Amino acid sequence: MTASFRRKLILSLASSLAALILVTGGVGIQRKLETFRTPGIALRGGMNRVLVSQVDPAVHPDLQRGDRLLLISGDTVRRVSTALEALRVQPSTEIVVQRGDEIVTVSYVRPGLQIDWSYLVQAVIGGLYLLIGLYTVLREQSRQSLLFYLWCAVSSAFFILVATPADQLLADDTGKALFVVEELARLLLPPLTLHFFLTFPVDLQPRAWVRRLLPFVYLPATFLAALQWDLIANDGRYLLGSPSSAEMASVLQRLDRAELLFFVAFALIASLVLLYRLLVGERREARRQLLWIALGMAGGYVPFVALYLVPWWLGLEGPQAIEVLAVLPLAVVPLTFAYAILRFRLWDISVIARDVATYGLTIMFGLAGFSFLRLLVQYGVPESRGLLRDLLSVAAVLVIGGLLVPARQGIGTALERLQYRTKFGQRRNLAQLGKELLHERDLERLSSQLLVHVEEALSLDRSNLLLNEDEALVPLRRDDGPPQRLPLDLFGAEFWQEDHRELLGATLLGTGGSLASSELYLQGYRYAFPLLVRGRRVGALVCGLRYGEMPFSSDDLELVRTLLDQASLAIENAHLLDRLQTQLEEVRELKQYTESIIEASPAGIAVLDEGGRIVSANLAFAALAGADPDALKRKRLLDVLPLDRVPSPNDGPLELGIVDGRGRERSIQASVAPFSSTRGAAVVLVVNDITERVAMERKLEEKERLASLGIMAAGIAHEVNTPITGISSYAQMLLASTDSGDPRYPLLKKVERQTFRASRIVNSLLKLARNQAVETNPVDVTELVGECLELLRDRIEALRIRVVMDNGTGHPIVNGSDGELQQVFTNLLQNAIEAMHGGGTLRVSTRLTGPWIEVAIDDTGPGIDPAARERVFEPFYSTKQRAGGTGLGLSISHEIVRRHGGELAIEDRPDGPGCRFVVRLRPARRSAA
């Protein structure tokens, strides 16, 4: 049996028993109230006639014994019950009686009320017993509270029905039913009391043999109840030997004495058991509970026995006020019992009063409603329709029973609104807050709302939420006193199994507290509530006192506990969502970090699926492919990069040559690594562009070749200088012996100049090989270019090339070596002439552009292929290898211009096909006009 089902079963049984007692008690009270207004006469009936059997001449002087009642207020009299009912209706009634042979009309005056105040108090106390029992079993569905409720219910029935006269109880079937209920209550009360004392409190449970004897406690009551039932239902046929009418009085007297002895015996045994358990109890709390019960028993029953039972036993009649005073203390007994069971505190008095008032008003509503409906049935339905009257009475009971629950809720709400006034709405909203918080996803905002609503609804001076983070309690409000991190078992391991914990000012051994919890107490916190979700420790709510240093009432504790049971799930969900968002943020940051690394990588990276299609690619790979990264997705790798071979994961890095998306020849190093994903097997292709590295390696190789060539050139130059010197000497000797007018003189002069130029070239080659500094002198760029053209005039004229000179800047002067610069211009002019082997125009222009002196040499030849332009200045690269080119002219020229602090560049001609080489040199500080 689950706890929820057991709770519902207990509440159902308690409600059914309460309804039974309310119905029987209401009928019993109504019959007792009828005895308050006595007719003053006794009637007997038979053979359709009603006779006066007894009459008090002082009260009714006009009536005589033996009168036969004929008419009452004009209505014919046939039954005793209808006659008595008619006499109670009006204060004064006209009666027609037959006295002997005469018909006499007499006046009947109804006697005054004779109220039994002690019974009324006793009935109210009986209702109080039922209320307290109901309140206790609703508060705590335990075995002790259920046993206490049964004791209260039986006591309530006993107090309400015991004072009803036996002649009324046995007058009809309803009376007999009331008598059975009253007898059961009378007989069950002693064993229930003994049973309660034997098993209360829980900390002092009886020994095993006592628990086994508990069922036998009810055997005497069962035997006496069987005797009473046999007497009522069967006239004592089975158990009492069918006593005659004359013996019936004696039998009843002996039964009454047996019940009295039974009652006294069990009362003494119960008192002794209570005293014994009080004396031998070891636990302080248990002894305190038993002491409260003992005080309640003494305070309630001692005055009742002394002022009521003893005078009744002695046959003494005292003032009715004494009887009332004797009955009033009986209300103390259930109050002390309930206090001992529920351990109510003093500040719960308002809650207790409200609940008692709620149940009291509900019972009054039920009794008033039932009485009203019963009167309607009694006066609205003729007595001859007995079955209909019974059915309507049952229907009235069902209607009232159905209205009791909504009536109790409405009355309770009204009284609660009156009690809390302006805080009522906030408390009700607090009860619904837990469901609303389930829709909140932000943990900090949810927790803050929870604290704010709790503080406002309960008028708290402080509160805080300690959330479980990494097996430690971290306060939500960091600046409100608690340390930044607290141990998870701050309040002890058993704290997580409790509803709440009251914090202590000092840590005591065995209390489950800690030094940190004592610090919380010093900071003003008095209560701690655990937050659990499916056994997981979510955190704890700590609260201070209410304003005015008021502790929590049980109502407040239950309200907070109910809220936290709902809010714990919301906090757990928000906490998990917050952790999930944090993890997602970390994953997102890690993803961005990884993507940033991949995107910033100079190597091209692409993920390929099993079919060789690109799943993703970084910017470097996209740049190599000459497309946008998104446009590469789902395309085949070979369609993007025309690789001669796609490496496999087992291969090492492969160096391949490709043509990229822009049509450039590139050298790459490609490698493949396996990659596992949820989408299936894949590979990661890493492509490194090693074009620059390859170029540098080639340059290094060329430099090594140039170094070797320099060494060789130095040897050659040393060997060549000797014949050049001889040629120069012979040319000078011939010039000395040749007249200037001789036609051979200019030719010898050219030979001399060329030998000088060859000597300078050889010396420059030696200086280049030795990396010596160049001797600089002011050089007229225009004259130098003119000399170079003069040297090449024969070839220019032979190829029918038109030369156009544009010296717009005059004669700019630069600092440099005239021989090296002449070598540069001669090489550039010679290349231009060779490009126009079919004729064309050679344009040489000199202009001053910013900080530069630019010498542009344009030709109208076919031009240079764009792919070859990047390599024309590399050593040994030549576009005229078939025509005997060595690939050193432009390389040497580029190096000479660089050493002069200038630039040598190749450009497109703006006005047509051909090629343009531009030499940029820094002008000298002084320039000659």
Side-chain angles (χ1 to χ4, degrees):
M1 183 185 299
T2 63
S4 176
F5 178 77
R6 184 178 61 206
R7 182 175 184 273
K8 292 180 181 178
L9 180 61
I10 291 175
L11 295 180
S12 299
L13 294 176
S15 301
S16 302
L17 182 58
L20 175 63
I21 294 174
L22 287 176
V23 173
T24 56
V27 176
I29 291 174
Q30 183 181 4
R31 294 205 170 196
K32 179 62 179 180
L33 293 178
E34 292 176 356
T35 64
F36 291 176
R37 189 183 298 278
T38 59
I41 60 175
L43 302 179
R44 59 184 177 87
M47 299 298 294
N48 291 328
R49 62 179 182 174
V50 177
L51 302 176
V52 177
S53 59
Q54 290 182 2
V55 63
D56 186 355
V59 179
H60 304 294
D62 296 336
L63 287 174
Q64 297 179 8
R65 184 178 180 180
D67 289 347
R68 177 184 178 186
L69 304 184
L70 300 177
L71 298 174
I72 299 177
S73 298
D75 297 330
T76 304
V77 179
R78 290 188 175 88
R79 300 177 62 181
V80 173
S81 58
T82 55
L84 292 174
E85 188 67 29
L87 294 176
R88 293 192 185 100
V89 174
Q90 300 293 334
S92 178
T93 308
E94 294 292 331
I95 304 176
V96 177
V97 300
Q98 180 181 359
R99 186 175 298 160
D101 296 333
E102 299 182 21
I103 303 298
V104 181
T105 301
V106 298
S107 179
Y108 170 82
V109 178
R110 186 178 62 192
L113 292 175
Q114 297 180 6
I115 301 176
D116 187 352
W117 291 105
S118 62
Y119 170 76
L120 293 180
V121 174
Q122 184 175 316
V124 171
I125 292 175
L128 182 63
Y129 269 69
L130 184 61
L131 283 176
I132 294 175
L134 275 174
Y135 182 81
T136 304
V137 80
L138 291 176
R139 278 296 204 185
E140 181 180 327
Q141 287 79 40
S142 63
R143 291 183 178 179
Q144 288 188 339
S145 60
L146 180 60
L147 182 61
F148 174 69
Y149 170 69
L150 292 176
W151 182 82
C152 288
V154 170
S155 299
S156 175
F158 174 75
F159 285 135
I160 294 174
L161 298 176
V162 73
T164 306
D167 57 348
Q168 288 195 13
L169 290 178
L170 299 175
D172 51 19
D173 293 338
T174 303
K176 290 181 179 181
L178 295 178
F179 180 75
V180 170
V181 174
E182 188 267 335
E183 277 297 316
L184 286 176
R186 187 199 305 267
L187 296 174
L188 282 175
L189 186 57
L192 277 175
T193 305
L194 180 58
H195 186 174
F196 182 76
F197 287 170
L198 285 172
T199 58
F200 182 82
V202 177
D203 297 335
L204 295 175
Q205 284 298 307
R207 297 179 180 178
W209 66 270
V210 177
R211 288 197 299 269
R212 287 194 293 268
L213 289 178
L214 283 177
F216 296 96
V217 171
Y218 295 90
L219 283 180
T222 305
F223 177 71
L224 292 175
L227 292 178
Q228 291 284 3
W229 176 257
D230 183 47
L231 185 62
I232 295 172
N234 306 307
D235 295 329
R237 183 179 308 118
Y238 299 106
L239 299 177
L240 297 174
S242 299
S244 62
S245 300
E247 297 173 340
M248 187 62 70
S250 176
V251 171
L252 290 175
Q253 186 178 7
R254 289 196 299 269
L255 279 177
D256 288 341
R257 288 179 180 177
E259 288 183 3
L260 181 60
L261 290 175
F262 164 74
F263 196 93
V264 173
F266 268 75
L268 289 175
I269 295 173
S271 300
L272 293 176
V273 169
L274 177 62
L275 181 61
Y276 172 78
R277 292 172 66 83
L278 182 62
L279 294 176
V280 301
E282 296 180 358
R283 291 183 60 87
R284 177 175 173 271
E285 186 66 23
R287 293 182 62 187
R288 184 181 176 187
Q289 290 176 274
L290 291 172
L291 182 60
W292 271 102
I293 290 180
L295 292 176
M297 294 282 291
Y301 288 121
V302 170
F304 179 73
V305 172
L307 300 178
Y308 188 88
L309 290 182
V310 172
W312 172 79
W313 182 269
L314 298 175
L316 302 176
E317 290 188 11
Q320 197 171 18
I322 299 298
E323 295 181 358
V324 173
L325 291 177
V327 173
L328 277 176
L330 293 175
V332 177
V333 178
L335 287 176
T336 55
F337 278 34
Y339 180 91
I341 294 174
L342 300 180
R343 299 182 181 91
F344 288 136
R345 292 155 295 186
L346 294 177
W347 44 87
D348 269 338
I349 192 64
S350 59
V351 178
I352 298 174
R354 187 194 71 212
D355 290 342
V356 170
T358 300
Y359 287 107
L361 292 174
T362 303
I363 291 177
M364 291 176 61
F365 167 79
L367 292 176
F370 178 75
S371 300
F372 176 74
L373 293 178
R374 184 174 175 82
L375 287 175
L376 289 180
V377 172
Q378 186 173 354
Y379 290 102
V381 180
E383 189 175 358
S384 59
R385 308 291 296 275
L387 179 60
L388 180 60
R389 296 180 71 172
D390 293 340
L391 291 176
L392 291 177
S393 298
V394 173
V397 171
L398 295 177
V399 170
I400 295 301
L403 292 177
L404 285 180
V405 174
R408 183 188 65 81
Q409 293 176 348
I411 294 171
T413 301
L415 293 177
E416 188 177 0
R417 187 186 300 275
L418 181 64
Q419 178 184 357
Y420 294 111
R421 294 185 292 277
T422 58
K423 292 292 182 180
F424 174 77
Q426 294 177 343
R427 294 175 69 92
R428 281 303 174 94
N429 293 335
L430 192 65
Q432 300 296 325
L433 179 64
K435 298 179 181 178
E436 298 176 3
L437 291 178
L438 288 174
H439 302 288
E440 181 60 61
R441 293 294 180 263
D442 186 85
L443 178 60
E444 185 172 356
R445 187 163 54 244
L446 184 154
S447 304
S448 299
Q449 288 181 8
L450 176 63
L451 293 180
V452 169
H453 282 80
V454 169
E455 290 175 352
E456 291 180 352
L458 300 181
S459 301
L460 298 181
D461 58 354
R462 66 182 61 233
S463 66
N464 208 330
L465 199 60
L466 310 179
L467 297 178
N468 183 1
E469 294 184 8
D470 299 328
E471 298 303 315
L473 294 178
V474 178
L476 178 69
R477 294 174 175 174
R478 305 289 178 91
D479 57 346
D480 197 27
Q484 297 300 316
R485 290 180 68 85
L486 296 167
L488 190 60
D489 287 334
L490 170 68
F491 307 107
E494 66 277 5
F495 165 72
W496 301 102
Q497 309 301 324
E498 301 173 357
D499 287 337
H500 71 280
R501 168 74 63 82
E502 295 186 21
L503 302 184
L504 301 176
T507 303
L508 300 177
L509 185 62
T511 59
S514 65
L515 186 59
S517 62
S518 299
E519 292 179 2
L520 289 176
Y521 180 90
L522 296 177
Q523 291 160 6
Y525 296 101
R526 296 294 183 269
Y527 298 92
F529 298 85
L531 278 69
L532 290 172
V533 176
R534 294 181 293 273
R536 185 185 181 277
R537 303 172 182 182
V538 177
L541 174 70
V542 290
C543 302
L545 296 174
R546 297 162 59 189
Y547 289 122
E549 298 296 318
M550 289 295 296
F552 279 20
S553 66
S554 58
D555 230 10
D556 299 332
L557 294 173
E558 183 178 359
L559 182 63
V560 175
R561 184 68 266 166
T562 302
L563 169 64
L564 295 182
D565 289 341
Q566 298 174 344
S568 297
L569 181 59
I571 293 175
E572 174 70 359
N573 291 341
H575 195 269
L576 293 176
L577 184 61
D578 186 63
R579 290 174 57 186
L580 179 61
Q581 289 177 344
T582 302
Q583 293 176 356
L584 288 177
E585 190 65 29
E586 292 176 355
V587 171
R588 189 180 298 111
E589 290 180 358
L590 181 61
K591 181 175 178 293
Q592 292 177 353
Y593 180 72
T594 305
E595 290 179 350
S596 299
I597 292 177
I598 294 176
E599 291 299 330
S601 173
I605 302 174
V607 179
L608 309 177
D609 61 12
E610 294 178 342
R613 292 181 175 83
I614 298 174
V615 178
S616 64
N618 67 345
L619 293 176
F621 188 89
L624 194 63
D628 187 79
D630 293 333
L632 295 177
K633 292 182 178 180
R634 308 310 302 167
K635 288 187 176 181
R636 293 180 57 84
L637 173 65
L638 297 180
D639 296 337
V640 174
L641 289 179
L643 300 177
D644 297 335
R645 176 188 172 189
V646 178
S648 64
N650 297 325
D651 296 335
L654 296 180
E655 294 188 2
L656 305 170
I658 64 168
V659 177
D660 65 7
R662 300 179 181 178
R664 300 175 299 178
E665 293 184 359
R666 314 296 290 177
S667 297
I668 64 171
Q669 185 182 67
S671 61
V672 169
F675 174 71
S676 299
S677 68
T678 56
R679 300 179 181 179
V683 294
V684 177
L685 174 65
V686 180
V687 179
N688 290 296
D689 189 351
I690 59 172
T691 304
E692 295 182 359
R693 193 195 76 186
V694 171
M696 290 178 63
E697 291 176 351
R698 289 176 180 174
K699 286 182 179 180
L700 182 60
E701 292 176 357
E702 296 298 331
K703 287 184 178 180
E704 291 177 352
R705 290 174 61 188
L706 284 176
S708 300
L709 183 62
I711 295 173
M712 183 180 65
I716 294 174
H718 183 270
E719 297 296 330
V720 171
N721 261 337
T722 300
I724 289 176
T725 302
I727 295 172
S728 177
S729 298
Y730 290 133
Q732 290 177 9
M733 291 172 61
L734 289 174
L735 281 172
S737 62
T738 304
D739 186 76
S740 60
D742 192 332
R744 290 174 295 183
Y745 187 84
L747 294 176
L748 292 174
K749 198 68 176 176
K750 286 183 180 180
V751 171
E752 181 187 30
R753 286 197 300 269
Q754 291 300 323
T755 56
F756 290 159
R757 178 172 175 267
S759 179
R760 286 194 302 270
I761 291 174
V762 170
N763 290 330
S764 297
L765 188 59
L766 287 173
K767 292 178 181 178
L768 179 63
R770 296 170 183 172
N771 198 20
Q772 295 180 355
V774 179
E775 296 180 2
T776 60
N777 298 301
V779 178
D780 188 331
V781 177
T782 302
E783 290 184 359
L784 186 61
V785 172
E787 291 179 1
C788 294
L789 287 172
E790 183 65 24
L791 291 174
L792 298 173
R793 180 179 297 278
D794 295 338
R795 296 190 64 185
I796 292 173
E797 292 176 354
L799 294 174
R800 297 189 298 276
I801 296 174
R802 186 168 66 91
V803 178
V804 178
M805 292 289 295
D806 182 7
N807 298 323
T809 58
H811 295 271
I813 304 299
V814 298
N815 289 326
S817 172
D818 55 347
E820 289 187 350
L821 292 178
Q822 186 182 25
Q823 182 181 353
V824 171
F825 291 128
T826 301
N827 189 25
L828 295 177
L829 290 171
Q830 187 173 352
N831 288 340
I833 292 170
E834 291 176 353
M836 298 182 292
H837 55 81
T841 300
L842 175 64
R843 179 181 296 276
V844 181
S845 59
T846 305
R847 63 181 181 273
L848 184 63
T849 305
W852 299 102
I853 294 175
E854 289 188 355
V855 179
I857 300 174
D858 293 27
D859 65 69
T860 56
I864 300 176
D865 186 79
R869 287 187 179 184
E870 296 181 0
R871 303 188 59 188
V872 293
F873 298 115
E874 296 180 5
F876 304 105
Y877 179 81
S878 175
T879 59
K880 303 179 292 180
Q881 290 182 355
R882 295 182 180 179
T886 62
L888 291 174
L890 288 177
S891 175
I892 294 175
S893 299
H894 185 272
E895 180 64 20
I896 291 172
V897 174
R898 186 191 64 78
R899 287 195 288 111
H900 278 74
E903 295 178 356
L904 175 59
I906 182 172
E907 298 178 357
D908 292 328
R909 292 184 69 245
D911 54 352
C915 185
R916 167 182 287 183
F917 281 89
V918 179
V919 178
R920 295 183 178 89
L921 298 171
R922 300 284 184 181
R925 294 182 179 179
R926 287 184 172 183
S927 59

